[in-house]
């Protein structure tokens, strides 16, 4: 198939997932065309069957905000037409689903029908989508998509709860590529980070408020009072500055390391004993899955899609949002019990294997075929 993929090219989970999906499809022989405003972070090197089309919204003194949506729609019309695409897959509803609808309508006026699949990732529904500035357009464009997928059952349920959706939403879970995310021996690394064999806790996020990084620090504060340990904070974003202040205030600067954005996250996960994800909202929790694939149990909140990924008492523990005492107690219990930790590590890997890209990719391929066939009949 010739597949167009639209996504945010940043470090966010939806962009990562969309890029890995496109690369995986290209490995299977499909021609994949990425249409984004910047080269996606994980698309830096050349790959057979992968093509990249950059959208640039022309600036003009009249525009306070460059009209990205219009530029993207025009680019999509071109790419669909000249690259003869079979299907367009847009990730993150805002504004991509609405833009794809506009491109579809323009193409229909030129006698070309392009089926559109929209994948809902989370904040496009739970945080931003329900905002009145976007809600009518989000609901309309989901209903006008030829196929809609959600990355967890919880996100599907929330979408149906918030909006009046006529389309059937198919759950296709996020996936993990074990070629990359697998536990490897990084003992030299471990020695550098934890020279006295301290336990290593890790958090990875974009440091937005919704991730509750403050809770990560508060959990760690309680853990390190009982168990010698270090915390690695990976990623960057609006809350980083506040978190640096908090670490200074709590006198934890020697125990906590801010590593910023990292490409080889799997090398850091290789030395981790526990992963912390106390988020306020999380449709799936791709970062938790990456940790589990590297045999790292997860201490998380029980919100959104997290219970579908992290199984309470098996691959980690779940607590109510904001209950740092419970999360810290669970972390201490696991870190103190070597046999339990070893068992949870094995369980985490086993659970992660359910989300192996090898199983999930064919679900997308079959869904594309189904949507294309359905569009031909209409
Ligand atoms: O979590 C973020 O802030 C980034 C966001 C995104 O759209 O890039 O992530 C969402 O999509 C990921 C990939 O499907 C999911 O794993 C995350 O759980 C989801 N984030 C939220 O729902 C907050």
């Amino acid at each position: 198939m010739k597949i167009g993929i639209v996504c945010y090219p940043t470090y966010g989970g939806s962009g990562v997932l969309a890029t890995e999906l496109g690369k995986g499809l290209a490995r299977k022989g499909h021609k994949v065309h990425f249409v984004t405003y910047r080269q996606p972070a994980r698309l830096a090197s050349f790959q057979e069957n992968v093509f990249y089309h950059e959208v640039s919204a022309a600036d003009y003194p009249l525009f306070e905000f460059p009209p990205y949506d219009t530029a993207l729609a025009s680019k999509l019309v071109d790419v669909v037409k000249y690259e003869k695409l079979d299907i367009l897959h847009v990730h993150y509803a805002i504004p991509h689903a609405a833009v794809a609808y506009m491109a579809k309508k323009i193409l229909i006026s030129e006698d070309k029908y392009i089926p559109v699949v929209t994948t809902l990732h989370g904040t496009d529904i739970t945080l931003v989508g329900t905002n009145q500035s976007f809600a009518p357009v989000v609901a309309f464009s989901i209903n006008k998509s030829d196929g809609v997928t959600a990355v967890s059952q919880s996100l599907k349920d929330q979408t149906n709860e918030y909006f009046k959706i006529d389309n059937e939403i198919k759950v296709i879970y996020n996936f993990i590529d074990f070629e990359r995310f697998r536990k490897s021996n990084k003992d030299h690394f471990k020695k550098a980070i934890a020279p006295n064999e301290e336990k290593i806790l890790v958090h990875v996020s974009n440091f937005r408020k919704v991730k509750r990084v403050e809770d990560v620090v508060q959990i760690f504060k309680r853990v390190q009072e009982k168990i010698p340990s270090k915390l690695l904070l990976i990623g960057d974003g609006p809350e980083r500055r506040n978190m640096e202040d908090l670490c200074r205030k709590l006198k934890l600067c020697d125990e906590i390391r801010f590593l910023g954005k990292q490409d080889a996250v799997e090398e850091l996960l290789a030395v981790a004993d526990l992963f912390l994800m106390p988020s306020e909202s999380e449709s799936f929790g791709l970062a938790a899955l990456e940790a589990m694939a590297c045999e790292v149990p997860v201490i998380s909140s029980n919100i959104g899609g997290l219970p579908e990924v992290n199984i309470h008492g098996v691959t980690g523990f779940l607590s109510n949002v904001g209950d740092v005492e419970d999360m810290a107690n669970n972390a201490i219990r696991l870190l103190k019990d070597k046999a339990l930790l070893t068992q949870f590590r094995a369980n985490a890997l086993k659970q992660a294997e359910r989300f192996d890209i090898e199983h999930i990719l064919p679900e997308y391929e079959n869904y594309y075929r189904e949507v294309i066939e359905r569009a031909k009949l209409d």
Side-chain angles (χ1 to χ4, degrees), residues 12-14 92 121-123 174 206 208 211 281-286:
S14 62
Y92 207 88
H121 277 274
T123 47
N174 283 336
N206 49 25
R208 284 196 245 145
K211 301 293 175 182
S281 169
E282 206 68 68
S283 68
F284 182 90
L286 192 55

Side-chain angles (χ1 to χ4, degrees), residues 8 10-17 92 119-124 126-127 151 155 174 205-206 208 210-211 277 279-287 305-306:
Y8 283 105
T10 47
Y11 277 79
S14 62
V16 167
L17 199 281
Y92 207 88
T119 289
L120 309 173
H121 277 274
T123 47
D124 44 354
T126 53
L127 291 185
V151 299
L155 184 59
N174 283 336
S205 78
N206 49 25
R208 284 196 245 145
V210 68
K211 301 293 175 182
M277 185 176 259
S279 307
E280 183 142 357
S281 169
E282 206 68 68
S283 68
F284 182 90
L286 192 55
L306 280 172

